[in-house]
Amino acid sequence: MTETAIEAAALGRSFGRRRRPALDGCAFRLPAGSVCALVGPNGAGKSTLLALAAGLLPVGEGALTVLGGTPAAARERVGYVAQDKPLHPHLTVGETLRFGRELNPRRWDARAAERVVDEGALDRGTKIRALSGGRRTLVALALALGKRPELLLLDEPMADLDPLARHRLTATLMADAAEHGTTVVMSSHVVAELDGCCDHLLLLGAGRVRLAGPLDDLLAAHRLVTGRADASLAPHTVVESRTTGRQLTALVRPEGPLGEDVQSAAPTLEELVLAHLRAPHAAALRLGGTREVAV
Amino acid sequence: MTAVTAERPEAAAPAPGPRALVRTVLLVHRSALWFWAMLVAVGAGCMLWATGPGADAAWAEYRAMGCFSDQPSLGCDMPGLAAGRYDTVASFGSAILGLTPFLAAAWAGGVLVGRELENGTARLAWTQSVTPARWLAAKLALPAVLLTGGTLLLTLLHRVMWASDGRLWATIGSRQWYQSYVFEANGTLATAYALLGLAVGALAGLLLGRTVSALGTAVVALAALLSALSWLRPFLWPARTLVAEDGYPPYPGPVVDEGAVTATGARVADPLCGDSARCLADTGVTGYYRDYHPSAHFWPLQLVETGIVLALTAAATLAAFRMLRRRLP
């Protein structure tokens, strides 16, 4: 078993010299078997990171290890669904599955693929171009799951799905991950989509890692505090604070017991992420065996 | 996942095998392959008809018009209906061979590679268990085999048509062995140019990654290469020379060069003296020469050019693989 699914060290990637790098000095480690939410605002580098891990882009700087080797060497063991869910529009659903079977002869699991297709009650004879966006997503996911990957990289998988399909798909992915120990990395800019199905979080902002680690540990490392506007938050690290009238709301990383003049509560995933998105200059935090790299 | 991977030797043969790749290319590009099969069938049909019933009807008409003699008679310059029909169908057969390289370039640039890069289906293939290089190899190999088979069949039929109807062509048509569309269709060049079109198209597709621009660039680039090579064609094999003293020698084939010669054998520009003996004496012109290719030069010319075209094809293919490697880790 590969202990580490993905490990990045000082990973950077630019598109063009004049533009800001899409990824800049990223370092994190994702243990095998985890289900990781890859979160960040538009343009944070989520898609670039996933494409790099899928072996579709050359690594610019630093190193990226996927399943113990280079991304290109791991090609056969990695499933990837791109953001725009590319499929051959003139093939039928059945032919698209055949495409997957032919190109993954040693791994193809027809049942896993059929299960996803059946979830959408898709007719095998329907052409891909006649399908709605959500159903096309299901076919793309069926292709990725049929490959029986050890690492599944999903770029905005839920974007086109209705809430019910989203729910079902999450259940399928979780069942698959639990049954086969698949590592799943799922990107989204809608945090609510990912709540309840992920055990790891990787938050990117402007090409850098903002938060990385096991979700529970990250949540436990933060407190959402409220108090009077003049309450002192020293010596704790304040990620973000807002005052409304005389009321102060802040997300802090406590360095010890919080003072008695404030009330505190555990943040939700959404609160954690939103606070970090609103405060782009807050210090990065990596937990869980990641080598600390100065940001 | 450990159970699945541990049993699998990492050094096993690359998956998927060539057959699976061929089946995939057939699956994804079947409409183009059907179109090619149809085009070959139409071309073959045209040439078979022209060789058989078309030529017979044209001859019968020719005889009925009272034109048939050993010398083409002046009154029979206007071809009849059957001759016109023969001419149209035979030309159509040749035209398919002449058009194939451009169709191959447009398709390879636009559909085979450009569109796949543009709409992301190339990335879909590269995230299956196939390396991008094998993907491109399969996408080029199968069309190359089908293009070679189809063009060789059409070339063979074209040669049969040319051989059996040669006299008819000389009588009612004005086709000569060295005219581009006859020259290319009668030898290995039709096949070589079709393969060049495929390679140039794939290279344009990988360079540009867009359907329309790759399609246009591939066609323009192929047209430029083709016209450069057909300009170069007469110089690919040493020409024969005819020299005559009274005016120019006869016109035995495609002329590479012509002019006047002096007593020392030096070649000079024709001083346009006409019959003026004084002019000829002043300029020292003693005769006229013509460098030309006899029809026996068909194969040497054909094979040298085929070699050049295949070398260009190999270079374009290599460049295409290089471009692919630059795109990917």
Side-chain angles (χ1 to χ4, degrees), chain A residues 1 16 41-42 58 63 74 111-112 155 198 213 221-222 250 257 264 267 275 283 285:
Chain A
M1 170 140 187
N42 295 322
R111 264 193 312 166
D155 199 352
C198 301
H222 292 86
S264 75
L285 179 67

Side-chain angles (χ1 to χ4, degrees), chain A residues 7-295:
Chain A
E7 182 157 15
L11 179 66
R13 168 76 206 188
S14 307
F15 298 98
R17 281 170 192 228
R18 299 226 179 135
R19 288 163 64 187
R20 184 179 63 74
L23 287 177
D24 186 11
C26 280
F28 65 91
R29 178 186 162 270
L30 185 66
S34 51
V35 178
C36 178
L38 175 59
V39 192
N42 295 322
K46 304 188 294 289
S47 295
T48 305
L49 179 60
L50 289 175
L52 283 170
L56 292 173
L57 286 174
V59 169
E61 299 155 23
L64 182 66
T65 310
V66 174
L67 300 174
T70 63
R75 191 181 307 281
E76 201 177 342
R77 299 185 286 153
V78 175
Y80 170 75
V81 176
Q83 191 165 8
D84 50 354
K85 322 289 178 301
L87 292 169
H88 289 287
H90 57 283
L91 298 188
T92 64
V93 173
E95 285 164 346
T96 304
L97 295 182
R98 215 180 99 201
F99 176 88
R101 193 185 70 213
E102 297 280 16
L103 291 185
N104 302 287
R106 292 197 298 207
R107 307 191 71 90
W108 189 248
D109 180 349
R111 264 193 312 166
E114 306 262 334
R115 205 180 327 147
V116 180
V117 168
D118 288 337
E119 247 170 49
L122 289 172
D123 181 10
R124 300 289 186 282
T126 312
K127 296 231 172 187
I128 298 294
R129 72 160 65 90
L131 295 177
S132 67
R135 297 182 132 191
R136 206 171 298 184
T137 300
L138 281 183
V139 179
L141 282 162
L143 211 54
L145 278 171
K147 192 182 177 185
R148 174 77 36 249
E150 291 170 41
L151 171 63
L152 188 54
L153 305 166
L154 306 174
D155 199 352
E156 301 275 357
M158 311 288 190
D160 299 322
L161 298 179
D162 63 63
L164 187 62
R166 199 175 289 180
H167 198 79
R168 276 210 216 113
L169 180 69
T170 311
T172 308
L173 286 175
M174 292 315 102
D176 193 79
E179 192 181 336
H180 303 281
T182 315
T183 311
V184 183
V185 182
M186 234 189 297
S187 81
S188 180
H189 54 251
V190 185
V191 184
E193 275 180 2
L194 303 164
D195 210 353
C197 66
C198 301
D199 50 28
H200 267 72
L201 177 68
L202 182 60
L203 174 65
L204 291 183
R208 290 166 171 272
V209 173
R210 307 285 315 282
L211 286 174
L215 187 55
D216 290 343
D217 296 354
L218 284 173
L219 289 172
H222 292 86
R223 295 297 281 175
L224 195 64
V225 300
T226 48
R228 285 177 41 180
D230 55 356
S232 163
L233 291 173
H236 315 296
T237 308
V238 179
V239 174
E240 188 234 359
S241 71
R242 280 176 299 163
T243 44
T244 320
R246 298 174 61 186
Q247 167 105 2
L248 169 85
T249 313
L251 186 82
V252 301
R253 293 176 194 153
E255 306 290 338
L258 286 160
E260 287 180 4
D261 52 344
V262 293
Q263 296 170 316
S264 75
T268 63
L269 171 62
E270 189 155 14
E271 284 160 346
L272 178 71
V273 168
L274 281 178
H276 280 85
L277 292 185
R278 280 193 293 255
H281 300 295
L285 179 67
R286 298 188 194 86
L287 299 173
T290 313
R291 269 176 288 155
E292 287 296 328
V293 176
V295 176

Side-chain angles (χ1 to χ4, degrees), chain B residues 2-293:
Chain B
T2 30
V4 186
T5 44
E7 299 156 7
R8 190 173 296 125
E10 290 298 322
R19 282 190 188 179
L21 280 171
V22 165
R23 283 196 296 267
T24 312
V25 177
L26 281 172
L27 180 70
V28 173
H29 296 294
R30 68 189 152 197
S31 45
L33 304 177
W34 276 117
F35 178 77
W36 173 235
M38 190 201 72
L39 203 63
V40 171
V42 169
C46 284
M47 290 194 253
L48 285 172
W49 180 87
T51 310
D56 293 348
W59 274 127
E61 180 190 64
Y62 198 65
R63 285 200 185 86
M65 285 164 79
C67 297
F68 188 73
S69 62
D70 282 342
Q71 301 284 318
S73 76
L74 209 59
C76 290
D77 276 356
M78 293 284 281
L81 274 177
R85 219 175 296 132
Y86 171 86
D87 196 46
T88 307
V89 173
S91 310
F92 191 67
S94 311
I96 286 179
L97 270 172
L99 205 63
T100 296
F102 290 96
L103 291 176
W107 177 73
V111 178
L112 188 72
V113 177
R115 193 175 67 186
E116 290 233 11
L117 291 176
E118 184 170 355
N119 67 15
T121 43
R123 293 176 137 218
L124 179 73
W126 302 339
T127 47
Q128 308 306 313
S129 302
V130 58
T131 64
R134 278 170 63 80
W135 168 84
L136 182 61
K139 279 175 90 78
L140 289 178
L142 180 66
V145 166
L146 295 178
L147 274 176
T148 305
T151 48
L152 283 180
L153 174 72
L154 291 182
T155 299
L156 210 67
L157 290 172
H158 199 272
R159 287 187 62 78
V160 170
M161 178 167 82
W162 177 258
S164 67
D165 305 348
R167 241 178 108 205
L168 182 63
W169 286 31
T171 312
I172 61 166
S174 55
R175 289 186 183 82
Q176 303 293 336
W177 66 270
Y178 50 83
Q179 282 172 308
S180 260
Y181 62 99
V182 177
F183 184 75
E184 285 158 22
N186 264 343
T188 45
L189 274 176
T191 304
Y193 274 118
L195 293 176
L196 179 65
L198 181 70
V200 165
L203 177 59
L206 277 159
L207 273 171
L208 300 164
R210 300 249 169 263
T211 312
V212 178
S213 47
L215 188 151
T217 308
V219 170
V220 170
L222 182 69
L225 283 173
L226 227 129
S227 52
L229 280 165
S230 59
W231 175 82
L232 206 64
R233 186 172 294 156
F235 308 106
L236 295 180
W237 195 255
R240 272 192 209 162
T241 305
L242 280 180
V243 180
E245 288 179 4
D246 287 341
Y248 276 96
Y251 190 88
V255 169
V256 183
D257 191 18
E258 56 189 3
V261 283
T262 61
T264 58
R267 292 181 165 193
V268 295
D270 189 343
L272 302 174
C273 289
D275 290 335
S276 163
R278 218 179 121 193
C279 169
L280 288 173
D282 284 351
T283 51
V285 167
T286 56
Y288 298 91
Y289 73 93
R290 252 190 188 132
D291 290 343
Y292 74 103
H293 286 295

